[in-house]
Amino acid sequence: MANVRVSVLISGRGSNLAALLAAEREGRLGGKVTAVISNRADAAGLAIARAQRVVTTVVPHATFRAREAFDAALEEAVAASAPDLIVLAGFMRVLGPAFVRRYAGRMLNIHPSLLPAYAGLHTHRRALADGVRIHGCTVHFVTDDLDHGPIVAQGAVPVLASDDEASLAARVLAVEHRLLPAAVRAFCEGRLVIAGRAVRVKAETVSKGALEVPILSA
Ligand code: GRF
């Protein structure tokens, strides 16, 4: 797929968005971030997008009385950006079923745990409370089953005895920043094949440098 248009949905900080934009600048994204859409006007990631002259749109969820009305407005904003791929990069709203169906197979999410463990919120806190020794992040296709769509890639990190929530989150985030652009590139190169609940990742024809993070799913 040439000239893949990528719309990124964010709610906050935008460090994963920054990683995608850096990959694009360096010619290793395989597509172009053409829109950034946020459900919060105060999302710091909006400034990151604007700094790279990416069109931004805010659909402020708090101003909508009904969830359906927000869903419809978001869907309209996303459709206006004509995406080939949608990336949820720290987007903190659950998408409506019609939206999810419309973009089935064309929407990726980054989640800060090794799914299917720790779906939902506060993943690092829960992992520490359970005393797990390995934690990480997952890029997956979005389906109606929240945080349980077909897994594209995973990166693992050790959990250290000295860790608190912040230190573990930071270690995972560094891996997210490598994993997400690599997963987007694989999508843009047409290398992701959904097979039931799983994803087969076809090999690169020309290697653009091996991923240093352990990709447990490939
Ligand atoms: C990341 O940890 C991501 O996995 C989760 O939300 C966080 C977003 O961080 N879904 P950022 O906005 O990309 O910095």
Side-chain angles (χ1 to χ4, degrees), residues 12-17 89-90 110-112 173 176:
R13 184 175 53 184
S15 69
N16 277 289
L17 167 68
I110 175 107
H111 182 80
L173 193 64
E176 293 184 36

Side-chain angles (χ1 to χ4, degrees), residues 9-19 45 48 88-92 109-113 120 123-124 136-138 147 169 172-173 176-177 180:
L9 271 56
I10 63 168
S11 296
R13 184 175 53 184
S15 69
N16 277 289
L17 167 68
I48 296 172
L88 308 183
F91 186 67
M92 300 305 286
N109 180 44
I110 175 107
H111 182 80
S113 78
T123 55
H124 310 306
C137 54
T138 302
D147 292 335
V172 172
L173 193 64
E176 293 184 36
H177 294 163
L180 185 59

Side-chain angles (χ1 to χ4, degrees), residues 127-169:
L128 285 171
D130 284 344
V132 299
R133 299 298 198 267
I134 297 173
H135 188 43
C137 54
T138 302
V139 176
H140 65 93
F141 280 105
V142 176
T143 64
D144 273 341
D145 197 0
L146 191 66
D147 292 335
H148 285 295
I151 290 172
V152 173
Q154 294 187 304
V157 302
V159 180
L160 307 182
S162 56
D163 270 332
D164 60 15
E165 207 176 327
S167 64
L168 183 56

Side-chain angles (χ1 to χ4, degrees), residues 67 71 74-75 93-101 107 144:
R67 191 192 140 154
D71 284 351
L74 182 70
E75 188 166 345
R93 307 299 294 178
V94 176
L95 298 166
F99 187 102
V100 170
R101 258 196 311 277
M107 181 153 53
D144 273 341

Side-chain angles (χ1 to χ4, degrees), residues 21 27 30 42 45-46 50 55 65 67 76 92 99 103 108 127 135 170 172 196 211:
L21 291 171
D42 61 354
L46 289 168
R50 288 176 192 134
V55 177
R65 282 245 188 91
R67 191 192 140 154
E76 203 179 309
M92 300 305 286
F99 187 102
Y103 293 103
L108 296 174
H135 188 43
V172 172
L211 273 167

Side-chain angles (χ1 to χ4, degrees), residues 19 45 121 204:
L121 298 174
E204 294 174 86

